[in-house]
Amino acid sequence: MRDAPIIPMGEGAGNGAASNDGAARNSASGSWQWGVPQLRVDGDGPLGLAHRVEQFLVGAGFDRAPWLAVMFASGILTWFALKNPLQWGAAITVAIVLALAAVAFWRGDDRRVHLRQAAIACSLLFAAGIAVIWLRSEMVGAEPIERPVVERVQGYVLDREDQPSRDRTRLTLAVRDASTGESRKIRLNVPLEQTSQVLAEGAIVRARVRLMPPASPMLPGAYDFARAAWFKGLAATGSVIGDVSIVQAAPQASGIPAIQRSLSAHVRERVDGSAGTIAAAFASGDRGGIAEADEDAMRDAGLTHLLSISGLHVSAVIAAAYLVALKLLALFPPIALRIRLPIAAAAVGALAGVGYTLLTGAEVPTVRSCAAAMLVLIALAMGRDALSLRMVAAAAMFVLLLWPESIVGPSFQMSFSAVLAIVALHSSAPVKAFLAAREESWFAKTGRRVLMLFVTGLVIEIALMPVVLFHFHRAGVYGAFANVFAIPLVTFISMPLIAVALFLDLVGLGGPVWWLVGRSLDMMLGIAHFTSAQPGAVKLMPQMSKLTIALFVAGGLWLALWNGRARMLGFVPALVATAMLLATPIPDVLIGREGRHVGITIEDSNGGKQLLSLRDTRSDYARDNLLELASVTSEPVPIARWAGSECSNEFCFVDIERGGRNWTLLLARNRDLVEERALAAACERADIVVADRYLPYSCKPLWLKADRRLLHRTGGLALNLTDETIIEVAAGQGEHGWWRGKSD
């Protein structure tokens, strides 16, 4: 295949046919084409459309590599969106047929070179994305247990995760199923007081445990742990009942997990309090000691990314190793004169990056960051541009080939959104001109750099906002301001000090440096708590639709990956998605997957939103899900204490007005038996009945009976009474292996 010349818009693309603003009028069709000499095309049929697409591709001057990664990722997302194997296979078939059609119709047609190449490559990569995630699911997916059980198990400890902030240790065990004889993987929470050094990787333990199938989302839009557990190979999760018996102690501590725990404990011994837990996370990736209040403050201040070992931390370690090696090697003339120092320094940086990635647990974000950093080092060693969209695309393909399921997780989406925003911003012509070297004072130069840091933080916040709202339904409003101070503090002060302190500890001289580490991290936590405590620091939104987030992503990718004036078209889907998000209604009633937890949104005396809760639960998980999906920040009010309810020991009647009419809800408070005739009479008075048990067929409400029978099939529900719509968890699950819904 021959590549037609690429004519970048605004850079010599215009000629006598183009006006000064880069647009050329097509006399035949009357349409405007951007910055490209136009050929006369008669008619507006398929051939005319193909010509226009070809002309657009010729004039766009785009880099193909990022778009190939986008198509591969689109295939993976399509597999999650489609329902069953028949649809997955059909999508692969259609994509391959499109590629073959492009070969057949445009073979040897020099007027369709770009269009033919795009159609073939995009179709094949789309099909490959579906095939890769399908194969990954079949290879690693673990069939969950059918129902909750209490049993005695004996298993081999595969992994141990210390979580002292929650007074527990998590163990992942390989056990043998007593009925089938097959091995399965389970995860157990063990009380901290039962944890010892012998309870580590390689030990064989026996215990009585309570096991549950991995939980599906509690409500539409809530976290899908069942899906995450499927790709981790977990068949069940639970907790230990009683004592844990050590059948065989773990071998002598060795390997990366032992080094990680030892390093984490060492850092916490050297730095007290919350700062010590943060320092341990930076040094070893161990976040188990971070207090919940500190994590909440970091999240609401937009600083959570600092706690996850990813691009910022890996880049800081590799950059420090690269610069130190470069300067030290330059001090030795025999070395400097015989080898290329950038190559040697890049090798040192690569070793430091790989070591740090392994030491901190080699989680997907860290591996992604390390892969991207390796590409940067290769570019530096070759004298090429280190930051490019091709580098981001290559890193994305590397991660998606190994862990394609990571694309639906917030970590992958947030990290790549941030990197794309940074690279696209700093690759743009206005920013390059703003940062270009010039004759000026140190004060002016520093001012430009600080302003650019703030602008970068603002762009990152805007890029991350849709992803954060989609997954967490809340976002820190002042994150850009907090990051201007926190990122330089962590990158240039805290992390270098931790490295220096660990080095000086080899000779017992790290004490003073550890004191500085503690003060710097206390300052970072102070920024987080101060920012999160400001009025309006957190914005809550109801669950956005998949169409809304798809429009946000499409607009963002177009803005980041395209060139010239055509890039501005990315604002169209982004603005449409913003309007759709603002118009998204807050659910009137939220019903948990088992019918135990029900939330009703009402207006408070100040005109704001308030949540009525069926049960005054101690479960932070249930309460937080109800509050976030209802977009309510205040504590929920128990329905039994609300003046507008009428409650007995078994049921509550609640009347609310929505859509110009009155709705009556009958909510079961427990599983106590009620005389059937009385229950049937009560159901006839209600529009909606909710219960966490099976209700008799004689219970016939006017609109919806959400009992155990229905909820087994639908999962959690979100009701919008104004337009009488019901959103089900099951609607987004299909026949994927992790969904255990039952059909009627």
Side-chain angles (χ1 to χ4, degrees), residues 646 653 664 680-687 700-702:
E646 178 185 343
F653 269 109
T664 300
C683 290
E684 289 180 356
R685 295 171 47 199
D687 297 284
K700 297 180 179 180
L702 299 176

Side-chain angles (χ1 to χ4, degrees), residues 383-406:
R384 303 287 295 274
D385 186 10
L387 290 178
S388 68
L389 294 173
R390 285 195 171 199
M391 177 269 293
V392 180
M397 288 294 294
F398 175 79
V399 173
L400 292 178
L401 283 170
L402 295 179
W403 302 282
E405 71 276 7
S406 64

